[in-house]
């Protein structure tokens, strides 16, 4: 028998062979594996339908759902026996591991599928040039080393923040392993990565980041986006 999964959007329901469903092979897909017999089975489907409705008209995202009750053999063979599981496909795929609320899932998907404009983050060239710019507008700096997983995890958050807050705030990347950045990092005595600092009119403020990268950056820089607030 052909195993089918259905994709629920506010416009239509499409069918697809279970064997063809492969998270990570297509961009902007959300795949929900769930068990309708479980206590939260119906609830998680309703939550995903709400998220799909909220995203409609703002970005193209397909929401697939597969019920363990209809595909027990195939899903068990694939190791899918704990539910619900949500996977997001955007240039590869990742498993969603945060709160199973509509707001949390919506924010995560919106962030995941939002394109970045890498040119909005400036590469560090010299301390003199950066400090000169910071006399005119705030300059928010990410000090990083390429090997650091935490530095990699925050990269897209930093890029999206740069796009949102330009031109009121300039965001700069300083690679502490490269010659130009290494001397500056040593001068500041940096030992942990990533490290974030805001430079403005001769003053410096440290930013103590949390796991809530994007929202944290946005809230912090919102105080300086006008270009008139002193540190």
């Amino acid at each position: 028998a052909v195993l089918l999964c259905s994709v629920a959007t506010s416009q239509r329901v499409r069918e697809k062979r279970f064997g063809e469903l492969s998270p990570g092979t297509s961009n902007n897909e959300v795949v929900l594996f769930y068990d309708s017999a479980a206590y939260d089975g119906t609830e998680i489907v309703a939550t995903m339908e709400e998220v799909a409705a909220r995203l409609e008209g703002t970005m193209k995202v397909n929401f697939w759902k597969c019920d363990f009750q209809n595909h027990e053999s195939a899903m068990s063979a694939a190791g899918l026996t704990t539910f619900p599981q949500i996977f997001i496909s955007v240039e590869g795929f990742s498993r969603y591991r945060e709160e199973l609320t509509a707001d949390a899932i919506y924010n995560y998907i919106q962030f995941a599928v939002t394109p970045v404009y890498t040119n909005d983050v400036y590469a560090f060239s010299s301390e003199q040039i950066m400090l000169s710019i910071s006399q005119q507008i705030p300059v928010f700096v990410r000090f990083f080393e390429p090997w650091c997983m935490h530095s990699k995890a925050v990269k897209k958050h930093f890029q999206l923040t740069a796009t949102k807050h330009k031109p009121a705030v300039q965001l700069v990347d300083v690679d502490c392993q490269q010659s130009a950045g290494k001397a500056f990092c040593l001068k500041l005595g940096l030992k942990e990565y990533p490290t974030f600092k805001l430079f403005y009119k001769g003053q410096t403020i440290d930013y103590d980041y949390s796991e809530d990268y994007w929202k944290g950056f946005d809230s912090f820089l919102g105080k300086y986006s006008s270009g008139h607030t002193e540190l």
Side-chain angles (χ1 to χ4, degrees), residues 7-226:
V7 53
T9 68
S10 59
Q11 296 179 334
R12 58 182 177 175
V13 176
R14 294 178 294 171
E15 302 290 338
K16 192 174 185 179
R17 290 183 176 85
F18 183 84
E20 295 177 353
L21 185 59
S22 180
T25 59
S26 300
N27 284 336
N28 293 12
E29 280 194 339
V30 178
V31 183
L32 167 67
F33 297 101
Y34 74 106
D35 184 352
S36 61
Y39 74 95
D40 58 352
T42 302
E43 180 180 348
I44 188 61
V45 172
T47 297
M48 296 304 291
E49 290 177 347
E50 178 183 341
V51 173
R54 289 171 63 177
L55 285 169
E56 183 185 10
T58 61
M59 50 188 64
K60 183 175 176 58
V61 182
N62 291 325
F63 288 77
W64 297 87
K65 61 177 183 179
C66 288
D67 186 354
F68 181 71
Q69 294 301 311
N70 296 332
H71 316 296
E72 180 175 355
S73 177
M75 292 173 73
S76 295
L80 294 168
T81 56
T82 303
F83 307 102
Q85 292 190 36
I86 302 172
F87 292 87
I88 316 294
S89 294
V90 180
E91 297 180 358
F93 78 98
S94 60
R95 183 178 172 184
Y96 176 80
R97 299 179 182 273
E98 299 181 21
E99 290 182 279
L100 295 176
T101 64
D103 284 344
I105 297 170
Y106 171 82
N107 289 333
Y108 186 94
I109 294 172
Q110 184 185 46
F111 170 77
V113 304
T114 299
V116 298
Y117 301 94
T118 56
N119 290 337
D120 289 340
V121 176
Y122 291 82
F124 179 80
S125 55
S126 76
E127 179 183 359
Q128 181 179 5
I129 292 175
M130 191 202 76
L131 293 179
S132 176
I133 294 172
S134 72
Q135 292 299 316
Q136 306 301 319
I137 60 172
V139 177
F140 189 47
V141 181
R142 177 181 74 127
F143 296 92
F144 74 98
E145 291 201 350
W147 57 265
C148 175
M149 293 301 296
H150 297 293
S151 294
K152 294 178 181 178
V154 78
K155 183 177 181 179
K156 183 174 181 179
H157 297 259
F158 197 68
Q159 291 171 331
L160 291 176
T161 302
T163 300
K164 179 172 182 178
H165 288 276
K166 71 174 187 180
V169 180
Q170 185 171 113
L171 273 68
V172 175
D173 261 342
V174 177
D175 184 342
C176 294
Q177 286 190 338
Q178 294 296 323
S179 56
K182 187 174 183 178
F184 191 31
C185 295
L186 288 173
K187 178 180 177 180
L188 294 174
L190 302 182
K191 296 181 180 179
E192 295 181 349
Y193 305 98
T195 292
F196 300 90
K197 293 180 181 289
L198 183 75
F199 298 86
Y200 188 40
K201 294 187 176 180
Q203 300 183 68
T204 304
I205 184 169
D206 294 330
Y207 172 72
D208 186 15
Y209 76 98
S210 65
E211 293 299 321
D212 197 9
Y213 299 126
W214 194 16
K215 290 183 180 178
F217 290 154
D218 187 47
S219 177
F220 175 71
L221 293 181
K223 296 180 291 185
Y224 309 105
S225 289
S226 66

